[in-house]
């Protein structure tokens, strides 16, 4: 197996994990990350205003539970989509627009699963005649 990297543009292979780190490219990407993070923090602070509690640890990259986010002022409340639709939007019926696989795809997946299960069982417990 031979690795090949084909690109068009001087920096198109930037951050390729199989190439040595280019200090100039690393500096560029780090600058982008810091700018994006600062923009994010500024936007959240402007949007949440006085409701925001806590200091810089809120923006450290840690993950917060809903309860933590409520305590820190990152959210106004905890609710399901149905609750929000009823209580805030005033809509009783919630429609889920998540794409669903069509009938043939579901059938093929179920047959594939059944076949794989049967094949695995046959391999694990061969029948000798």
């Amino acid at each position: 197996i031979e690795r090949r990297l084909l690109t068009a543009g001087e920096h198109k292979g930037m951050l390729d994990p199989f190439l040595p780190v280019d200090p100039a490219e690393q500096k560029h990407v780090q600058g982008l990350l810091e700018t994006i993070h600062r923009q994010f923090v500024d936007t959240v602070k402007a949007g949440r205003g006085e409701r925001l509690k806590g200091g810089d640890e809120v923006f450290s990259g840690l993950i917060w539970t809903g309860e933590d986010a409520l305590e820190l002022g990152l959210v106004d409340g905890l609710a399901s989509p149905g609750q929000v639709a009823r209580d805030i939007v005033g809509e009783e019926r919630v429609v889920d627009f998540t794409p669903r696989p069509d009938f043939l795809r579901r059938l093929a997946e179920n047959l594939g699963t059944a076949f794989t299960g049967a094949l695995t069982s046959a391999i694990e417990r061969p029948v000798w005649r």
Side-chain angles (χ1 to χ4, degrees):
I1 298 174
E2 179 181 299
R3 181 181 170 277
R4 295 185 188 106
L5 175 65
L6 305 174
T7 63
E10 183 181 351
H11 298 283
K12 292 291 185 168
M14 183 171 59
L15 301 180
D16 182 323
F18 297 100
L19 294 176
V21 174
D22 180 320
E25 291 177 346
Q26 184 178 19
K27 182 179 177 183
H28 174 76
V29 172
Q30 188 62 47
L32 289 173
L33 291 171
E34 289 169 8
T35 298
I36 292 167
H37 186 254
R38 187 189 78 255
Q39 291 170 346
F40 170 76
V41 170
D42 292 347
T43 301
V44 171
K45 285 181 176 180
R48 298 306 297 167
E50 296 298 318
R51 295 171 289 186
L52 191 60
K53 313 274 188 297
D56 290 337
E57 76 278 0
V58 172
F59 303 103
S60 67
L62 292 174
I63 299 168
W64 307 106
T65 66
E67 291 173 348
D68 291 338
L70 186 62
E71 192 174 302
L72 292 167
L74 293 169
V75 298
D76 293 327
L78 303 176
S80 70
Q83 276 180 289
V84 172
R86 283 187 302 278
D87 300 345
I88 296 176
V89 180
E91 180 61 49
E92 287 297 321
R93 195 174 66 112
V94 177
V95 179
D96 183 356
F97 289 100
T98 305
R100 303 273 186 236
D102 62 25
F103 172 76
L104 289 177
R105 182 170 303 277
R106 288 193 320 265
L107 178 64
E109 288 172 357
N110 288 336
L111 287 174
T113 302
F115 177 75
T116 302
L119 184 60
T120 302
S121 293
I123 291 170
E124 290 174 352
R125 288 179 252 116
V127 177
W128 301 98
R129 296 179 190 218

